[in-house]
Amino acid sequence: MVGGFRIGRIFGIPIFLHATWFVVFLLVTWALSAHFAAIHPGWSGAASLLVAAGTALLFFVSILLHELGHSVLALRHRVPVRSITLFIFGGVAVMERDPESPRAEFEIAIAGPLVSALLALGFALSARGSAPESAWTSLADWLVRINLGVAVFNLLPGFPLDGGRVLRAFLWARSGDAARATRTAGVAGQWLAYGFIAFGALRVLGGDLGGLWIAFIGWFLLSASGASIEQATLDASLAGLRARDVMNADVARIPRGVSVGQFARELVMRGRRWALVEEGGAPFGLVSLTDVKRIAAEDWETTPVGAIATPIAAVVTAAPDAPVREVLHTMATRGVNQVPIRDGDKILGAVTRETLVQAIELRRSLATGAERG
Ligand SMILES: [Zn+2]
């Protein structure tokens, strides 16, 4: 859930409002104004609506503070935070990567519910200082309950809820196996999700349409935990692998003086999409069919590939000992299809999407074989 309207930047983190946020804001304001009108018969319709809108706004500020709680701890543990988005089910802080230790995972996870609990306490204290029938008391009372609700709901032990992350941190600390901990916490998340769906459905059958919302949250949790389990399985199948283990040493190499036309014909004949350009046996750059397409056909025979190649200094490369998971991450974040594996002045081979898929499938079939044996 990334994207929407950017409303600002806090601690360098861009904050977004997703389109669904506006729907929830209107629904919450509408429901609250009915609630306030019922407990304050003396209030005008406009007054109820105004207090309701203020309460809804403070509710979303509370959610934002919850996400900032996670984010501040993440930054302290050197996990970059890409964005915070407020959407239909609350908020989400998108982190660049997983924390490096169970302790960091625990601290980042617990910070959100802790902020919500402190907000509940703060609103409770502020209500004690104002008159019982005042607008602030009504507003604060509701915010105490909703922030407590947010803290308790998020502490439920199903990944990727905060409580599920706490569970994952605990399992990870005990076994030392992060991927297995994610899978177990993810399965707990799926059971929790089924529970929500069943509970919501029973409420609907009993005549309470609010159950629909609970079932909807369950469905969202189900898809999120399923995605986490898949990611953990992928991580586990790549764990321990180094770039040199999965790279393809058979890289097309071409001297920089060769014409673009000759290069294109050879590449197509050999079924390749890119080649390493060399100068006197040393790497000079990387050239792909995309680079060729930028040159007009009539210039193909007079232009050397060296002129259209990406210089080697600008090419994304990896060391032979780089973990494959890191190489995969680089490919995703830098938007490249191949990462040449470089050892000093030599290119040993390249990791491509195809070599990664082969490595994952080989690992999986070996793992299944071992379990059956
Ligand atoms: Zn949270």
Side-chain angles (χ1 to χ4, degrees), residues 38-55:
I39 57 172
H40 297 288
W43 287 9
S44 70
S48 297
L49 194 64
L50 199 69
V51 179
T55 311

Side-chain angles (χ1 to χ4, degrees), residues 66-67 70 91 108-109 111-113 150 154 161-162:
H66 174 113
E67 297 307 326
H70 291 305
I108 295 168
V150 166
N154 278 290
L161 292 179
D162 297 334

Side-chain angles (χ1 to χ4, degrees), residues 316-318 324-336 339:
V316 180
T317 60
V324 169
R325 272 191 278 201
E326 254 171 46
V327 179
L328 182 67
H329 185 74
T330 307
M331 287 168 88
T333 51
R334 302 285 296 268
V336 293
V339 176

